[in-house]
């Protein structure tokens, strides 16, 4: 038994969504806790003290949770701040950008159409292909998602630019590795908030080639 009463077994990796009642991997859930002022606080990093309440990473689910599920789960009256879903989205976007930046600094990521195409064509083990949501669709369709890799188009060109230390970026690729796996986890949640794909929580599920 781990400190805090959590078992260190495989079951510790799954939680029940307080909205849908479904038990699923924590990777597809957003954790919340009740703060000292009885206000619901998002815990994107999963490190805040207190009993966790989990909601599927989906904007509709978060909006539904405000209707009483938080109070029922906490077994007390709680305050849900206005714009909670927007705040969760903001934190997830920042987290995803920061992780991509770490991957880049580790020499495990490239950006720019030609460099990404070179990685895809040259046999580099690509774990993630990322493309800006506001980029040219014509340009984006010229790249493809390798078998076994993941595709995300939930970040803007400005956000990807922050990740790669540039003003804006349309195309990026991340090599296989632990940091890239963490990007997949956070980007999956962010996509759920921005595109309504919160149900796609299987980290091994690949998007079909573009």
């Amino acid at each position: 038994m781990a400190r805090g009463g959590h078992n260190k077994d495989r079951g510790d990796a799954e939680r029940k969504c307080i909205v849908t009642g479904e038990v699923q991997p924590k990777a597809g859930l957003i954790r919340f806790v009740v703060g000292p002022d009885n206000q619901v606080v998002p815990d994107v990093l999963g490190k805040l003290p207190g009993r966790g309440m989990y909601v599927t990473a989906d904007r509709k689910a978060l909006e539904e949770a405000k209707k009483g599920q938080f109070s029922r789960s906490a077994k007390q009256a709680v305050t849900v701040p206005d714009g909670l879903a927007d705040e969760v989205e903001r934190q997830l976007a920042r987290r995803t950008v920061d992780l991509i930046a770490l991957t880049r600094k580790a020499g495990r990521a490239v950006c720019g159409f030609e460099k990404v195409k070179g990685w895809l064509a040259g046999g580099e083990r690509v774990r993630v292909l990322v493309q800006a949501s506001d980029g040219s669709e014509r340009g984006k369709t010229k790249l493809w998602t390798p078998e076994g890799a993941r595709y995300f188009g939930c970040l803007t060109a400005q956000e990807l630019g922050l990740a790669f230390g540039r003003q804006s970026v349309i195309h990026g690729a991340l090599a296989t590795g632990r940091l890239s796996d963490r990007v997949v986890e956070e980007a999956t949640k962010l996509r759920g908030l921005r595109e309504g794909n919160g149900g796609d929580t299987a980290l091994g599920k690949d998007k079909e080639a573009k």
Side-chain angles (χ1 to χ4, degrees):
M1 182 77 70
R3 183 175 300 176
H6 296 304
N7 291 318
K8 290 184 176 181
D9 56 20
R10 292 182 63 184
D12 193 49
E14 294 187 338
R15 292 290 185 272
K16 179 186 290 187
C17 172
I18 65 173
V19 175
T20 67
E22 296 180 354
V23 176
Q24 58 179 287
K26 288 169 63 177
L29 300 164
I30 307 297
R31 184 177 188 264
F32 296 86
V33 298
V34 178
D37 55 356
N38 293 330
Q39 180 167 284
V40 174
V41 178
D43 181 23
V44 170
L45 296 181
K47 295 182 179 181
L48 292 178
R51 180 179 178 274
M53 300 177 288
Y54 293 84
V55 180
T56 299
D58 180 270
R59 182 169 287 271
K60 290 182 179 179
L62 287 179
E63 295 296 338
E64 187 67 25
K66 295 164 55 177
K67 299 179 180 180
Q69 280 87 343
F70 279 125
S71 293
R72 284 194 287 272
S73 179
K75 299 181 180 179
Q76 67 179 80
V78 298
T79 301
V80 181
D82 293 334
L84 180 63
D86 291 335
E87 175 60 19
V88 172
E89 180 183 327
R90 185 193 69 78
Q91 291 188 25
L92 283 173
R94 179 60 185 270
R95 178 65 174 160
T96 304
V97 166
D98 287 347
L99 285 171
I100 294 175
L102 287 175
T103 308
R104 171 182 63 84
K105 292 175 182 177
R108 305 292 293 169
V110 295
C111 67
F113 182 86
E114 292 300 331
K115 288 185 177 180
V116 172
K117 184 178 180 180
W119 267 29
L120 296 175
E124 179 72 30
R125 295 186 62 188
V126 174
R127 177 71 172 104
V128 182
L129 172 65
V130 290
Q131 294 183 306
S133 58
D134 50 349
S136 166
E137 291 301 320
R138 182 179 180 182
K140 290 191 290 186
T141 57
K142 294 180 180 180
L143 297 178
W144 61 95
T145 307
E147 182 178 356
R150 294 297 300 273
Y151 173 84
F152 293 102
C154 53
L155 290 169
T156 66
Q158 183 178 16
E159 288 170 334
L160 282 177
L162 289 173
F164 285 96
R166 299 188 178 187
Q167 185 173 356
S168 66
V169 167
I170 304 298
H171 315 281
L174 283 60
T176 55
R178 289 186 178 182
L179 280 173
S180 296
D181 289 341
R182 291 167 65 187
V183 171
V184 168
E185 186 171 323
E186 299 305 322
T188 298
K189 295 178 184 179
L190 178 61
R191 184 170 65 186
L193 269 290
R194 291 186 168 177
E195 302 175 7
N197 293 325
D200 180 15
T201 58
L203 300 187
K205 184 177 180 180
D206 303 318
K207 179 181 175 68
E208 293 182 359
K210 291 176 67 66

